[in-house]
Amino acid sequence: MIRARIEGTGSYVPQRVLTNQELEGIVDTSDDWITTRTGIRERRIADKDTTSGIATKAAKMALKDASVSPNEIDLIIVATVTPDMFFPSTACFVQSNLGIKKGVPAFDISAACSGFLYALDIADRYVRSGASKKVLVIGVDLFSRIIDWKDRNTCVLFGDGAGAVVLSAKKGKRGILSTHIHSDGDYWKILYAPSGISQKQSAKGSIEHPYLKMQGNETFKAAVRTMGKACMEALRYNGASAEDIALLIPHQANQRIIKAIQERLGLPEDKIYTNLERYGNTSAGSIPLALDEAVRNGRLRRNDLILFVAFGGGLTWASALVRW
Ligand code: COA
């Protein structure tokens, strides 16, 4: 049986670190409030970086890690809601930046913080159908460009970052075992950004600033409910139980949300990977960034069962179960 196997991972975060202490000078907040309510201590902020720029850096690293050359890639999917431009897609910029061969399909998908798992779902289907052999999947967002830096309810939560994986069509038991993606548009108003592009506008630019808007409490409850459900769905579909999971890599939004999922599944703390204390919520970048770190920290072993789960604006939610 042909499966999509993750052959290489990569990630990139901008150099600039914004700490909770620095935020105390920007909005009426405190390091104590932010760490207690969210677990976040600092995040990265893009200065001159663009979405396609950091996506390209993460992708380069993933290609190197997979020992795959750009001209072997036959599909590029980028998950982002903060693209450089409305069009062309970020994926087309990445294709050009990396010199991936002409004619290869490249497109973006929009599912906010669930974006990477949506992209993985699509890539997996291309691979299993035989349409693609080597796929570059990137999750990337620059939320610093759509944050209202006067709104303490939201500006403390997010950061910028990118992660990428290279998938290869391989025979055998290892690879993506399942993906499930869901949405419920009736809840769009609890988390949204009205419009926007990631490149800064000129002072007289005609585009209204697309500040992210969020109902924190409603979002929190929906996150716990949908991610809990998504984990159970992935386990049931594969005839697995929580004890079979070697590592859960959840969307890095809030430590308390992650804790609630952990308790629902009855997983010990050391089976959950978190890095949100250093990066905050990087939206579509969150899961592949955490995955790349986990790989580099030696947290994944061959044949381990790895569960990914995400939640985001839309509402959207998703899971993927992978045999490493
Ligand atoms: N610093 C200090 N006080 C803050 C603050 C900040 N950065 N942000 C909000 N507050 C205040 C509010 O003004 C409010 O004050 P009030 O009660 O006087 O009106 C109070 O803190 C809010 O308290 P509460 O709603 O109980 O906070 P909370 O425990 O729900 O935590 C969030 C707020 C936003 C951290 C939490 O709801 C959350 O994480 N939600 C999910 C967000 C998310 O993950 N979004 C992305 C999903 S992909």
Side-chain angles (χ1 to χ4, degrees), residues 187-198:
Y187 282 88
W188 72 270
K189 272 197 173 166
I190 67 171
L191 183 56
Y192 68 102
S195 66
I197 54 176
S198 82

Side-chain angles (χ1 to χ4, degrees), residues 111-115 117-118 158 182 184 187 190-191 214-228 230 250-253 257 261 281 283-284 286-287 308-319:
C113 301
S114 309
L117 294 186
Y118 264 64
F158 299 94
H182 300 284
D184 183 350
Y187 282 88
I190 67 171
L191 183 56
M214 184 185 75
Q215 295 169 28
N217 224 280
E218 290 308 309
T219 305
F220 191 103
K221 284 187 280 189
V224 173
R225 190 179 69 245
T226 56
M227 288 204 291
H251 172 49
Q252 308 283 310
I257 293 175
I261 303 299
N281 179 347
S283 183
S286 162
I287 286 182
F308 301 93
V309 67
F311 160 88
L315 292 182
T316 55
W317 63 99
S319 72

Side-chain angles (χ1 to χ4, degrees), residues 143-173:
F143 265 39
S144 65
R145 303 278 164 83
I146 57 165
I147 288 295
D148 179 354
W149 288 98
K150 294 190 183 81
D151 178 12
R152 68 175 183 174
N153 292 293
T154 53
C155 75
V156 303
L157 301 176
F158 299 94
D160 300 333
V165 298
V166 172
L167 300 178
S168 289
K170 294 275 179 188
K171 280 195 181 138
K173 290 186 176 161

Side-chain angles (χ1 to χ4, degrees), residues 173-223:
K173 290 186 176 161
R174 293 169 54 222
I176 297 175
L177 304 183
S178 71
T179 54
H180 290 90
I181 61 174
H182 300 284
S183 66
D184 183 350
D186 285 350
Y187 282 88
W188 72 270
K189 272 197 173 166
I190 67 171
L191 183 56
Y192 68 102
S195 66
I197 54 176
S198 82
Q199 282 183 342
K200 283 186 176 151
Q201 299 302 298
S202 63
K204 289 186 183 161
S206 56
I207 293 173
E208 175 205 7
H209 206 290
Y211 293 141
L212 176 145
K213 299 186 173 48
M214 184 185 75
Q215 295 169 28
N217 224 280
E218 290 308 309
T219 305
F220 191 103
K221 284 187 280 189

Side-chain angles (χ1 to χ4, degrees), residues 9 49 96 113 125 185 218 224 261 271 277 303 322:
T9 63
D49 290 305
S96 170
C113 301
R125 290 172 198 278
E218 290 308 309
V224 173
I261 303 299
K271 286 194 171 184
E277 65 275 18
N303 288 316
V322 172

